[in-house]
């Protein structure tokens, strides 16, 4: 089954395979990273400074991930699997709840951090129920095209939770990159860490 996508360059033949990673593989990889961050941020052995940095990265990773998910994965799932529409709607509501919970955190020592970590784990479990059947009904080429768009969307996505922004196309594709620019400016000014790789490099001084 062909998944409706934005206009694409014509393929030479049906065997054409674009370059890039499948959206399903990207989602799986990111889900493993999110689960690892959820475990780290609730690790009682982590000191306060370390927990703050892990929480910053988890917040940014979740914000980027959900933005790309709502721009491309959910519309593709709706188009390819009409029976999944109700599941998609429930997940959009759950995404808003996760972003709201992140935004309400008062700090890394907030007891609600554990609830956020559990929401992340439930998110991973639920979205797997969409990704697995999508692999079966969409072509490899379509999954790769979606993956390419996912990666572009994540680069422009917010790094902070904005539960009030639109969650469906076309408005989320317009609003989220604009919000993302402001977030990245704030991150640069404050020196906030937003990438998993940032946790592997201790701050100087």
């Amino acid at each position: 089954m062909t998944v409706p996508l934005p206009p694409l360059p014509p393929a030479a033949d049906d065997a054409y395979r674009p370059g890039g990673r499948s959206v399903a593989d990207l989602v799986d990889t990111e889900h493993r990273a999110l689960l690892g961050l959820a475990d780290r941020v609730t690790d009682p052995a982590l000191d306060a400074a370390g927990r703050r940095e892990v929480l910053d990265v988890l917040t940014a990773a979740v914000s980027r991930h959900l933005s790309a998910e709502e721009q491309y994965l959910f519309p593709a799932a709706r188009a390819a699997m009409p029976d999944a529409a109700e599941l998609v709607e429930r997940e959009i509501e759950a995404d808003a709840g996760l972003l709201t919970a992140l935004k309400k955190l008062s700090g890394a020592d907030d007891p609600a951090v554990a609830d956020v970590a559990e929401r992340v784990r439930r998110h991973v479990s639920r979205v797997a129920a969409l990704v697995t059947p999508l692999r079966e009904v969409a072509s490899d080429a379509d999954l790769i095209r979606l993956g390419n768009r996912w990666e572009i969307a994540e680069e422009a996505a917010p790094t902070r939770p904005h539960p009030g922004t639109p969650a469906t196309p076309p408005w989320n594709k317009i609003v989220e990159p604009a919000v993302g620019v402001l977030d990245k400016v704030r991150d640069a000014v404050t020196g906030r860490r937003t990438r998993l790789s940032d946790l592997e490099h201790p701050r100087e001084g």
Side-chain angles (χ1 to χ4, degrees):
M1 176 183 296
T2 298
V3 177
L5 294 171
L8 300 169
D13 54 53
D14 291 339
Y16 170 73
R17 182 184 176 89
R21 296 180 62 191
S22 160
V23 70
D25 291 342
L26 286 168
V27 172
D28 288 347
T29 298
E30 291 188 13
H31 278 173
R32 287 193 294 272
L34 290 176
L35 290 175
L37 287 166
D39 289 342
R40 289 175 71 172
V41 80
T42 53
D43 183 351
L46 197 63
D47 62 28
R51 193 180 311 281
R52 174 72 264 175
E53 291 194 340
V54 173
L55 181 59
D56 281 345
V57 172
L58 174 62
T59 299
V62 167
S63 299
R64 287 191 299 262
H65 178 82
L66 297 188
S67 178
E69 186 177 79
E70 292 173 353
Q71 289 184 52
Y72 289 104
L73 179 64
F74 289 169
R78 276 199 187 99
M81 304 176 296
D83 291 346
E86 184 176 346
L87 179 59
V88 168
E89 289 300 323
R90 290 201 302 269
E91 194 54 32
I92 288 174
E93 291 180 9
D95 285 358
L98 173 53
L99 291 172
T100 298
L102 278 167
K103 188 167 186 176
K104 286 182 176 179
L105 289 178
S106 60
D109 58 348
D110 190 323
V113 168
D115 172 64
V116 166
E118 186 55 35
R119 285 174 182 266
V120 169
R121 297 183 185 106
R122 292 199 300 267
H123 165 84
V124 169
S125 176
R126 290 191 303 264
V127 174
L130 285 174
V131 174
T132 299
L134 185 61
R135 285 183 188 269
E136 298 173 358
V137 300
S139 69
D140 288 344
D142 278 344
L143 290 174
I144 292 171
R145 290 185 178 106
L146 279 168
N148 291 338
R149 283 157 177 74
W150 174 288
E151 291 186 305
I152 292 170
E154 276 203 325
E155 283 302 311
T159 60
R160 298 168 187 264
H162 300 281
T165 58
T168 55
W171 291 110
N172 59 349
K173 294 183 179 182
I174 298 170
V175 174
E176 301 248 313
V179 174
V181 170
L182 299 177
D183 283 354
K184 291 175 180 64
V185 170
R186 291 177 63 191
D187 294 340
V189 170
T190 61
R192 177 174 178 256
R193 295 186 163 205
T194 62
R195 299 283 180 179
L196 185 59
S197 58
D198 293 339
L199 298 177
E200 313 308 323
H201 303 287
R203 293 185 187 276
E204 295 181 0

